[in-house]
Amino acid sequence: MIARLAARTLIVVGIAVILAGVIAELVGAKTSVEWEASIDTSNIPGAAMTVFAFSSSGRVEISVDGAESIYYMTLRGDPMIALRQLSTINISMVDHTLVSDIRAGVAYGAAGLQTNPLLLRTLPLLANILPVEVTTTQAGDVIEVNLTGGNGVLVVVEPSGERVVFHMRYTVSGYSRLDTYTLTILGTITSLAGIVAYSRLTSTRRENK
Amino acid sequence: MGLRGLAELALVDSSDSLRPPGFDVMMVIIASLGAALATMQPISEPHVAARIILDPTLFAATLFLALRGSAGVAGLIQRGIVSIYLSYPVSRHSVYTAIVVSRVLLPAATLLSAPLLVAGLVLLPVVSVNPGYYILVFLAYLLQASMYGSFFLLAGLAAKSPGTASVVSITFYFAYNITMLILSAVGAAMGSNIVSGLADAMAFYYMVYRSLLGVGVEVWQLLLVPLLLLAMLLAGYVYFTRRFEPG
């Protein structure tokens, strides 16, 4: 019984490994992604951008045009939790865009922030009430953060004009898989081994009967 | 005879619970799904890979356990097969243990491991860096599935009707998950860490995953689901050995 179950599992695994090779050729993973978002800040005192690596690890580079001051914080877990925490201190999101790029294993988004302008300036003090470390950087600097799976970065900007533009580049690191040729060979061998084992086991049972 | 009888009975019952083609079709589908998820994303850490592959698999495995574990056992009782099991020269606790193995542990372990094997082969360079984390996440999902399966088994033994058993089992599964969602929403609305923590603790695999990410997890959160599993197994054991009547 156990031997037959193992043989059936081998057949299934072999078929799925061959299929993995086909899927990898058609819609395989991407190792870099670039994105740009423009937020109209004529009526709001701030803008924010978040990048969350949900399945990949990599390096994110964010530059911001139209910023007077920039604060950023790296987060473990879902950055939406941090955004919800911001709402508890009366900073809420307006006009938000969220993109989930499954092929790069990363989600990113930008939003306008509706709040009292003075509150944004107190963000560096946020570390005293939330479990995050807030870093202040100069306008024009490129923010570079290494993200691992399940971690994210949240950038909050105080605008200098009527528009803030975020430029984001994310480069995947540490990713590697078997190539399609190896997967095809491996899948074929595995499923053939399963078929041979299963037919031998079932024919033995018939002979015994 | 004890341990050998138990193993033989578990094998006999497994030939029904894991019978083709239903089980094989399900394995092909979830293994293919695992293959797609493993190749479409640039996953670079073993525990992240395991979670991404096993999240949808847990749902499929749970539904399978509700059908073959719960309704399957109720069908065995109706057809008089459990009476035959009880007539073997093995104790009632051996029969119960054999049914737990063949109706809960073996199907859950096989269904959860098939897509994980595929992903492990596809992402061999990533998984081989830390296979321990990969296996740890698998065991966490297996424990969660076993907790669901133990309740389903109890429902099947008590209901003795396949229809009722599957309805009760699927209702329990949805109620459990909806309670988790409600507690999470209430915890966020009230700003209560205990309520949110309770919602998180109901998903053991999530607690294990979070601790591997380095996010703080409290001990009671890691104990909730294992204790539920023990309570379900114990309730099933007491019911089957003391009160269960196959007729």
Side-chain angles (χ1 to χ4, degrees), chain B residues 203-225:
Chain B
F204 179 69
Y205 51 91
Y206 183 52
M207 291 293 95
V208 170
Y209 177 73
R210 276 181 57 162
S211 47
L212 293 178
L213 284 181
V215 181
V217 171
E218 292 183 37
V219 176
W220 70 268
Q221 290 182 300
L222 283 168
L223 288 177
L224 183 72
V225 175

Side-chain angles (χ1 to χ4, degrees), chain B residues 75-115:
Chain B
L76 289 186
I77 298 167
Q78 271 194 345
R79 295 199 303 272
I81 293 169
V82 171
S83 303
I84 299 171
Y85 288 171
L86 290 171
S87 70
Y88 291 170
V90 287
S91 60
R92 272 201 175 210
H93 67 253
S94 292
V95 176
Y96 176 72
T97 311
I99 291 175
V100 169
V101 170
S102 62
R103 299 276 159 179
V104 180
L105 292 179
L106 203 52
T110 313
L111 284 173
L112 292 172
S113 62

